[in-house]
Each structure stands twice: as structure tokens, then as C-alpha cells.
Amino acid sequence: MLDTKIKQQLTSHFAGLKHKVELLLSLDDSAKAKELKGLADDLATVSQNIEVKDSTNPADRKPMMWVRDTANNTQAGFAGVPMGHEFTSLILAVLQAGGHPVKQSAEVIEQIRSIEGEFKFESYISLSCQNCPEVVQALNLLALLNPNISHVMIDGGVFGDEVKDRNIMAVPSVYLNGESFSQGRIALAEILNRIDSGAAEKEVAKINQKAPYDVLVVGGGPAGAAAAIYAARKGLRTGIVAERFGGQVMDTVGIENFISVKKTEGPKLVAGLEEHVKDYDVDIIQQQRASSISRNDLVEVSLESGAQVSSQSVIIATGARWRKMNVPGEAEYSGKGVAYCPHCDGPLFKGKKVAVIGGGNSGIEAAIDLAGIVEHVTVLEFDTKLRADEVLQNKARSMGNIDIITQAMTTEVLGDGSKVTGLTYTDRATDESKSIELAGIFVQIGLVPNSEFLDGDIDLTNRGEIIINEKGETSMPGVFAAGDVTTVPYKQIIIAMGAGATASLSAFDFLIRQAPLETESKGEKAA
């Protein structure tokens, strides 16, 4: 199952196991069960601290493997064969179950261990989903640290009947005690806020006690990471406030135009960015969204949670999000057939008919990827011609199950109340209304800048982009901006990083020309 090179790497990783880990198997006669047994046996060969046993729980799905921490009597489950993107989740679970140090603060670990109540989590994933491992790993950590919490990862491709019964049409989909808990990416901090009463209020109080920064970066994508590193290297007190570290890059699968790196994936690049930022003394505040900005003696950034952060200068790097069609039915059927990530949700539509809205590079790439999974793909493009690169167009047209319709304006998403059944569009050449029967709609029509919280305070274009000059300066003194949220003409990762560095150097130049500010030391406001 595992090749020699991977086994050698795992031998090194598992050398740090401090106590016995049991892999408890529930198997049937399926091919997937044989794969899972082979995987478990291979893991057992690389460490004397890993032992394979049969599970005695009659309620287990089949095939399934529990990773059990024998010292603390906790466990995390994998229903299906955790390969693909979930192989890392499995290896981390084994390490954590064996006593390997957890990469969380002592404060977070203690919070998890002290949660009371019974929490039974189930997460439905697809092995091709790059967003799913973060959720699986967060829930596994909870289950392995707290015996009151359980978690099972469920491969939707193996347990298709459950996916159908629960009408799951987007991954990751998380259930808690049998009820829907979340859909899409959710970070550990957000999960804790929802299951640990009072956690959100405690976090607000903690944030409100922070002393003013020299540079506060709002946004944790490539532009924000670069800005924070450049500021910290100048010896400035630097903070990052972001809803999630990595931003939209976390949703990017293949990256092949990042100079000096021939090929990588979004989550891998983000992990490197975060590791680099943490090499410096940067205060990272996650799971927080900015709601407004104002300037008095300092720049004040208010957060949706009710907290407030202040700084001598601010760099806005909030990036952009997928543009929505804004047609009837889209919101109602989001996650029920309307999707925005073909790599994550595509496998759930295996053998079905789907549409891709948008004929740019992202739309045609999505159509090509989906064509290998689904029965048929219809591409709808508003313009008279596709905007994708010629090589992508040629590839799409060469595939036998992709139809391309231009001059098509989507007007409504159709459904039966629980899932998508089709869509209607207007043929712009004839003004005729037409409909298509299908099971899924993948929207790929560009980006919208995350700048709504700035409206009225900082000058924006009519498209919502922050207007900046060559130094990254905005219309508010001491406030700079970088990346996809700005008027920079090309929205690319490498350009965002350069813009973040420019904004940070400009902020430093701004600060050295200001009168010294008397601030509290050591990162907390005076009592």
C-alpha cells in the first residue's frame, strides 16, 4: 500500500511516539476494506508502538479504522481509506495519539480538555478536497484531547448512501450529535467558540486588552503575510487580524506560476507563509473580521465580534472572494447543488450532469476537471466568446462531454426544495429563455474585493477596490492597502506579496516621520 520512501519517512516521524497507539479495524469483504487493512498493516511495520487490532464496536461503519490513544483512552475515526489529502490527517492523528506534542498553545489545549458535555462529530469529506483536512484535523484534535468528544471522518465516495440520505452536496459537511453543524471550511477556534460557552466573550476581552500596534495588518493572505514579515523585520510591534490565515489561497489547488517553485498547492504555500510569519514576533489574531475603520490619534479597527484594535498604522490586505451570480435560487441552494469549488465538491456529482458558470481560465479549468468525474458539463459564458487561454479552450473542446454555450445569462437556479434540479438562462442573441436539467452548478465568474467595511471611510472604486497610489497609500493617512482588495491591475499571488512588502515599507516610512507615541509595553493596555 505504502511505498518504501514513504515508509522510511514515517519511520522517522513515528520515532517520537511516546506510547502505544492502537489501530482498531472494522472490515467487510469490500476492496476498500482490503486497502484499509493494507494501510494499517503498513503503518504497524514502521513503529513498534503501533498495533493493529479488530474493533469490538458493532456500531462501526465498515470499512473503518479508529486511531486510539491507549494512555488517555481517546480515539479518532476514519470511515473509508484516508489517502489523498486525508493521509496527512491520519498521520497527525497517529502522532497525537502517541503523545507527540500538539502544535497548539497550552491555553488552547487546556480549553479543549476542560470542555464538558457530550459531542459526537461526523465530518463528510472527499479525498480530493483540499479544504477538508483542516476541518478533519481540528475535530480529531478535539477527540484525542477530550474523552467527551468523538469524531469520525467519512469518505463520501465510499459511503454514498449516507451522503444521499443526508442530502450532502458540499464538503466538508460536519454533523454534531446528528444535526448539521457546519458546511465548508471551519477553523479550530471557531469550533471552540461554538461548543465552549463563553469562549467568544473571553476572546473579545483578551483582544480589547492589547496595546496599540505600530503596524496592524488586516488580512492573512499572501499580501498580509508579506506585510507582517517586512514590518516585524523593522523591529515594529506588528499584529495580524484575519478571519483565517491564508485567505483565498487556501482554496487554490494547483499553483505553477510562483517563481522559483515549479509547482505547489495553496494549503502547502499557506503553511509555509504562516511558518515564516511565526518566525517573527507577530501577534496573530484569527477568526476575527473587521467591521469598520476610523482615525483619531490612532487608527482604530473595530471587529464584528465587538472587539477593537488600535495601531499607529494599518495595512489592509483583506483580498477577495468568489463572485456570486445573485440570481433567484442561488442562496437557497448554496451547498445543495450550487458550489464554488469544483475540486472539493466535484466528486459528489459523479455520474451526474452539471453546469459551470463562467468561461475564463477558472471556469474552463473547472469544466475540464469535472468532465473526468461527472456525466456531462455545460459551460455558460455571458460574453460572445470564451476568455480562457487558448490551450484550455482547445482541451475543453476536445473532450466529448463538455458543451459550451456563449451569450448565456443565467437567470435562475431551479430546485425541488432540497437540491438543485436545473437552471434557466437567457440567450442574449435571441432573447429567448431556456432551461437545462442538471444536478450541480459550479460558479466561476471572478472575484469581489472584501472591502465593504471601508465604504464611506476610505475611497473605493465603483467595483469596491481600494484606491491606492504607487506606495500603497489610501485616502486615510497612515492606512495602506495591498493585494487583490486594491486597484492593482493583476490579481496574482506573487504580485500580492510584492504589494504587501511595498505597503509595509511605506508604513515604516510613515511612522519614522511621526512624533513618538507613548504606548503601554509588553502588549497589554494599562489597567
Side-chain angles (χ1 to χ4, degrees), residues 85 129-131 134 185 220-222 244-258 261 263-274 343 493 497:
H85 286 296
C129 169
Q130 76 272 16
N131 293 326
E134 179 184 351
R185 172 172 293 157
R244 62 168 176 166
F245 202 94
Q248 194 186 0
V249 177
M250 285 293 287
D251 302 327
T252 304
V253 179
I255 299 172
E256 299 182 1
N257 57 355
F258 190 75
V261 179
K263 186 174 183 179
T264 187
E265 295 180 348
K268 185 176 180 180
L269 177 60
V270 168
L273 288 175
E274 188 168 12
H343 306 287
I493 294 170
M497 286 184 175

Side-chain angles (χ1 to χ4, degrees), residues 223-243:
I229 289 169
Y230 267 70
R233 285 177 61 85
K234 293 291 187 181
L236 301 172
R237 173 167 156 73
T238 305
I240 292 179
V241 59
E243 187 171 8

Side-chain angles (χ1 to χ4, degrees), residues 145-190:
L145 288 177
N146 189 325
N148 298 320
I149 302 173
S150 69
H151 171 237
V152 179
M153 178 220 81
I154 304 161
D155 179 2
V158 176
F159 296 90
D161 289 344
E162 289 189 40
V163 168
K164 184 177 179 180
D165 291 343
R166 281 181 157 169
N167 197 30
I168 294 169
M169 305 188 77
V171 290
S173 285
V174 178
Y175 284 75
L176 172 59
N177 298 334
E179 301 293 331
S180 180
F181 178 78
S182 69
Q183 192 175 86
R185 172 172 293 157
I186 183 170
L188 176 63
E190 187 177 352

Side-chain angles (χ1 to χ4, degrees), residues 342-362:
H343 306 287
C344 302
D345 300 332
L348 298 176
F349 296 87
K350 183 178 181 179
K352 299 178 180 180
K353 297 178 180 179
V354 303
V356 171
I357 311 302
N361 282 347
S362 60

Side-chain angles (χ1 to χ4, degrees), residues 214 295 299 311-315 473-474 476-480 507 510:
D214 296 321
R295 182 170 187 93
V299 182
S311 181
Q312 292 194 64
S313 65
V314 167
I315 298 172
E473 294 174 316
T474 73
M476 182 179 289
V479 177
F480 305 82
F510 169 82

